[in-house]
Amino acid sequence: MEVGKAIKLEIEGYDMNGLGVAHVDGKIIFVSKALKDEIVLAEITSVHKKFCFAKTLKVILPSVNRILSPCSYDEGCGGCDLLHMRYDVECLVKEDKVRNAFRLLNKENSILFQPIIRNKNIFGYRNKIMLPFGYDEDDNVIYGFYEKLSHSIISIDKCEISNHYVNEVVEFIRKYVSVMHIKVYNETTHTGIFRGVMVRNNYKNEMMLVLICTKYYDFSGMLEYIKSDFPLVKSIFININPNKTNVMLSKEYIHIYQDKTIIEDILGLKFSVSAASFMQVNHDVCELMYKEAFRMAKLNPEMNVIDAYCGMGSITLNIAKQVKHVYGIEIVEEAIVNANYNKKLNGISNATFICGPCEEEIKKLVHKETIDCIFFDPPRKGCEQTFLDTVIDMKIPKIIYISCNIATAVRDITYLTKNNYIVKEVTPCDLFSKTSHIECVIRLDLKHPKK
């Protein structure tokens, strides 16, 4: 087996990321864009001792579960990897992914796996999009997504999973950058001004634009056109990022147009969303996921609850509607300011936001009063062990763990199960339709709670 070799393969099943699986001469071959029961012609792209990766060149015998991708950029773009798959099959693959991730824990815990929470709108659901800018071979300004495993930009004019209102706005920005001869940033030479754009939108399709530049640029000439032609644009910032990095956003934002935030509605509460706020990218499934988390927690008016990694307070304040008191903890000061503003915006009095390290603040709270449940929705890297040790030491009776990275979630949960917790149930949530990613809500109970 060698890189570049074309080989005929019979696809036997899927791996945890939805890649087709075949076997040849004792080696497993993982095949992109291939479905179970298909026969495909595939090209080997990388070779390892016990397995290989390949990409589908031609489908010789298609599966009944294959659909025509609606995306013109599916072959090159590194964003969506399941556009060729029927949605019901995609959901089954994701449910299997979660079950397999928890298979060792399930032997000891008898976990209840709930059906996946499906996305009713599998296209146009993303409320945030980040688009790097560049040049094509003819020095025309382009924007798009990075090609798989590279930093070459695939030029696009539309993203099928992103909110469809953003397309005309981003194309206008591209034309403005081109006509005004604003130099686009080059990652190799570290020259140029304009790096790209971030667009986020709310439930009303109102938009916030973040123009990402290496230094300040006067966009005042553009704002009149925005005002007259794009009334859904309610906020514009410039993000200044002079760093020699492929990370697009820095922490420096300059407000240049209309409002500083846009307002999102989550389960009937209003949330002021800033350029730097964390917000789930799929509004509708996010609401369903929060409801599922609250069901697992069995929230009631007698409970005191902690929401760790609370961010702008979207979970915290929705918990507040159902409990005696809730404490949101977050180490990022700007997020706590945002959360307190949202608390005031909704007239909520039984929520307290605390800025500080979660592991330290939890100890103070548990020593002050009884905590019945703790929620945590950590970043992709998962939880620090010091934080988990604090939760274990404080013997909090119930944990609701929300995770966008099943691998780090299982790592953290395995540690908790070795320290007197038991996994009771898991619900996959399809926040990221047409990609292999999956969000999960997991409930753990303390084996021997305090009397």
Side-chain angles (χ1 to χ4, degrees):
M1 205 72 66
E2 58 188 34
V3 172
K5 181 179 180 180
I7 186 171
K8 187 177 176 182
L9 298 171
E10 185 174 341
I11 307 302
E12 304 160 17
Y14 302 105
D15 81 338
M16 66 185 302
N17 293 313
L19 295 175
V21 175
H23 290 83
V24 174
D25 298 332
K27 277 194 173 184
I28 302 173
I29 304 180
F30 300 105
V31 191
S32 65
K33 307 294 184 184
L35 299 178
K36 183 182 177 183
D37 299 327
E38 288 188 332
I39 296 175
V40 303
L41 182 67
E43 179 185 331
I44 303 298
T45 56
S46 67
V47 178
H48 304 267
K49 188 175 182 179
K50 295 183 178 180
F51 60 91
C52 303
F53 286 97
K55 63 179 181 180
T56 299
L57 298 176
K58 181 182 178 182
V59 180
I60 299 169
L61 179 65
S63 164
V64 294
N65 294 318
R66 178 172 287 277
I67 58 173
L68 183 65
S69 170
C71 179
S72 306
Y73 317 103
D74 190 12
E75 290 304 313
C77 176
C80 304
D81 38 16
L82 301 179
L83 285 163
H84 61 294
M85 184 182 288
R86 261 178 46 189
Y87 186 58
D88 56 343
V89 177
E90 176 183 339
C91 288
L92 290 172
V93 168
K94 289 177 176 179
E95 285 179 328
D96 285 345
K97 176 177 182 172
V98 173
R99 286 176 179 271
N100 287 333
F102 280 90
R103 66 187 182 279
L104 295 179
L105 286 170
N106 195 30
K107 289 180 180 179
E108 298 178 4
N109 291 258
S110 300
I111 300 169
L112 174 61
F113 289 96
Q114 301 288 359
I116 190 169
I117 292 176
R118 294 192 172 203
N119 184 6
K120 291 182 179 179
N121 300 298
I122 59 175
F123 298 109
Y125 64 84
R126 277 194 69 97
N127 59 29
K128 178 182 175 183
I129 186 170
M130 191 98 68
L131 293 164
F133 274 50
Y135 292 110
D136 65 13
E137 293 177 353
D138 299 318
D139 286 335
N140 298 308
V141 177
I142 60 171
Y143 62 86
F145 296 108
Y146 292 120
E147 188 177 358
K148 287 185 178 178
L149 305 177
S150 85
H151 265 254
S152 299
I153 296 174
I154 299 292
S155 176
I156 71 166
D157 58 14
K158 180 181 181 181
C159 173
E160 294 294 339
I161 67 169
S162 293
N163 183 288
H164 294 160
Y165 285 90
V166 309
N167 298 314
E168 288 186 18
V169 179
V170 178
E171 174 58 17
F172 166 76
I173 294 170
R174 186 198 68 79
K175 289 178 179 177
Y176 186 86
V177 168
S178 179
V179 169
M180 298 303 293
H181 303 291
I182 304 171
K183 291 292 184 182
V184 174
Y185 179 71
N186 183 303
E187 283 186 17
T188 304
T189 63
H190 305 295
T191 57
I193 295 174
F194 197 80
R195 300 181 83 124
V197 62
M198 181 182 83
V199 187
R200 58 191 330 166
N201 55 275
N202 64 8
Y203 71 113
K204 291 182 177 179
N205 296 309
E206 294 172 338
M207 283 175 275
M208 171 185 288
L209 307 181
V210 178
L211 309 172
I212 308 163
C213 301
T214 57
K215 62 181 180 181
Y216 179 80
Y217 184 87
D218 184 2
F219 286 100
S220 57
M222 186 180 78
L223 301 185
E224 288 303 313
Y225 294 102
I226 292 285
K227 186 174 183 180
S228 61
D229 295 351
F230 301 102
L232 285 174
V233 175
K234 301 297 183 182
S235 174
I236 303 179
F237 286 82
I238 299 175
N239 179 268
I240 308 296
N241 184 3
N243 301 318
K244 294 180 179 180
T245 174
N246 54 29
V247 176
M248 288 186 66
L249 289 171
S250 74
K251 294 183 178 181
E252 184 180 355
Y253 292 89
I254 300 173
H255 177 243
I256 63 169
Y257 180 75
Q258 285 200 22
D259 303 328
K260 290 187 176 181
T261 64
I262 54 175
I263 301 297
E264 184 61 286
D265 183 294
I266 302 175
L267 296 175
L269 296 183
K270 304 298 181 186
F271 292 90
S272 176
V273 181
S274 69
S277 292
F278 170 77
M279 184 170 65
Q280 296 287 0
V281 299
N282 186 327
H283 172 272
D284 294 351
V285 180
C286 171
E287 289 192 323
L288 295 173
M289 179 176 72
Y290 284 3
K291 287 180 179 180
E292 177 69 355
F294 303 154
R295 179 197 66 79
M296 284 188 185
K298 298 180 181 178
L299 299 179
N300 67 68
E302 303 302 315
M303 293 176 71
N304 292 314
V305 177
I306 291 175
D307 178 22
Y309 309 97
C310 69
M312 67 177 184
S314 59
I315 295 177
T316 321
L317 296 177
N318 274 294
I319 289 173
K321 295 187 293 183
Q322 304 176 62
V323 302
K324 181 181 177 183
H325 203 96
V326 59
Y327 299 89
I329 307 173
E330 173 65 64
I331 198 168
V332 179
E333 186 175 356
E334 294 87 344
I336 290 295
V337 171
N338 194 186
N340 276 312
Y341 180 86
N342 290 328
K343 172 184 168 181
K344 185 177 179 182
L345 184 65
N346 291 284
I348 289 174
S349 59
N350 64 328
T352 301
F353 289 103
I354 302 166
C355 186
C358 288
E359 59 270 21
E360 294 179 14
E361 300 302 332
I362 289 170
K363 290 178 183 177
K364 296 176 188 176
L365 289 171
V366 172
H367 289 145
K368 186 173 71 171
E369 61 182 312
T370 299
I371 299 296
D372 302 289
C373 180
I374 183 168
F375 284 67
F376 37 93
D377 184 1
R380 285 190 63 81
K381 67 179 182 178
C383 302
E384 298 291 340
Q385 188 172 316
T386 51
F387 168 76
L388 296 175
D389 285 337
T390 299
V391 174
I392 292 162
D393 291 344
M394 296 300 103
K395 295 181 170 57
I396 298 173
K398 193 184 302 291
I399 296 170
I400 304 298
Y401 191 133
I402 300 174
S403 173
C404 63
N405 186 336
I406 197 71
T408 55
V410 169
R411 178 201 68 200
D412 294 345
I413 290 166
T414 300
Y415 186 75
L416 289 166
T417 60
K418 291 177 180 178
N419 290 276
N420 210 29
Y421 280 91
I422 183 169
V423 187
K424 299 300 288 185
E425 59 180 317
V426 178
T427 304
C429 305
D430 188 32
L431 266 79
F432 314 105
S433 303
K434 295 295 144 193
T435 80
S436 58
H437 302 295
I438 186 71
E439 192 102 2
C440 280
V441 184
I442 304 115
R443 172 188 147 209
L444 299 95
D445 288 354
L446 189 65
K447 287 180 183 177
H448 307 293
K450 293 179 284 187
K451 301 296 184 183

